Amino acid sequence: MQEVYEFIKKCGTYYLATVEGDQPRVRPFGTIDIFEGKLYIQTGKIKNVSKQIQANGKAELCCFDGGKWLRVAGTLVRDDRREAKKHMLDNYPELRGMYSEDDDNSEVLYFKDASATFSSFTEAPRTIEF
């Protein structure tokens, strides 16, 4: 999982896909964290993406760097613990102007039953399960 985390961090921006009914929704994200051995993302509970994840936790992210790309598919699970939120925000202090571990809006979610596939145009895909 560390390799997955490091690739996503290096990319800076990744694209998260969720579903709304039968309509796929994709948007850029930038937060990624490892906390207690799980891969986390962060958003706000008031956003549509949060509502989509709560209705259907299946999600996929994709990022690209230097001819290689990574897709991570799994189920996103909300973690309402203050410690998880604080860990994320401590790693992204620039978000503290909008979020706090003590507000009712901050949301961190971790990937459960995830599959991460590294791909390129020149190498066979390689998958990591976590």
Side-chain angles (χ1 to χ4, degrees):
M1 184 189 321
Q2 186 68 33
E3 180 183 6
V4 171
Y5 167 79
E6 288 173 10
F7 189 87
I8 296 169
K9 280 293 274 188
K10 181 179 173 189
C11 289
T13 299
Y14 60 89
Y15 296 86
L16 182 72
T18 60
V19 293
E20 185 174 51
D22 67 349
Q23 179 63 48
R25 302 289 184 196
V26 180
R27 81 279 296 151
F29 264 67
T31 54
I32 196 76
D33 194 18
I34 293 180
F35 179 67
E36 295 181 347
K38 297 175 184 168
L39 188 68
Y40 279 76
I41 66 168
Q42 184 275 336
T43 191
K45 290 179 182 177
I46 63 169
K47 294 182 177 181
N48 287 338
V49 65
S50 173
K51 295 171 183 126
Q52 293 157 9
I53 292 167
Q54 294 315 307
N56 181 347
K58 291 185 179 179
E60 186 166 303
L61 71 76
C62 184
C63 53
F64 182 86
D65 181 63
K68 294 184 180 183
W69 62 93
L70 170 66
R71 290 184 0 214
V72 179
T75 301
L76 286 171
V77 177
R78 180 185 283 167
D79 185 342
D80 277 328
R81 293 178 302 152
R82 183 180 192 279
E83 299 82 10
K85 294 177 192 179
K86 183 177 183 331
H87 194 272
M88 176 69 78
L89 293 172
D90 284 350
N91 284 295
Y92 290 92
E94 64 276 14
L95 293 177
R96 289 201 172 273
M98 298 183 300
Y99 299 103
S100 163
E101 57 268 26
D102 296 316
D103 67 25
D104 290 330
N105 182 40
S106 295
E107 178 176 51
V108 293
L109 307 111
Y110 64 88
F111 275 96
K112 177 182 169 191
D113 301 325
S115 173
T117 303
F118 290 93
S119 301
S120 79
F121 293 116
T122 59
E123 299 172 16
R126 183 171 52 89
T127 301
I128 299 168
E129 307 283 334
F130 58 91

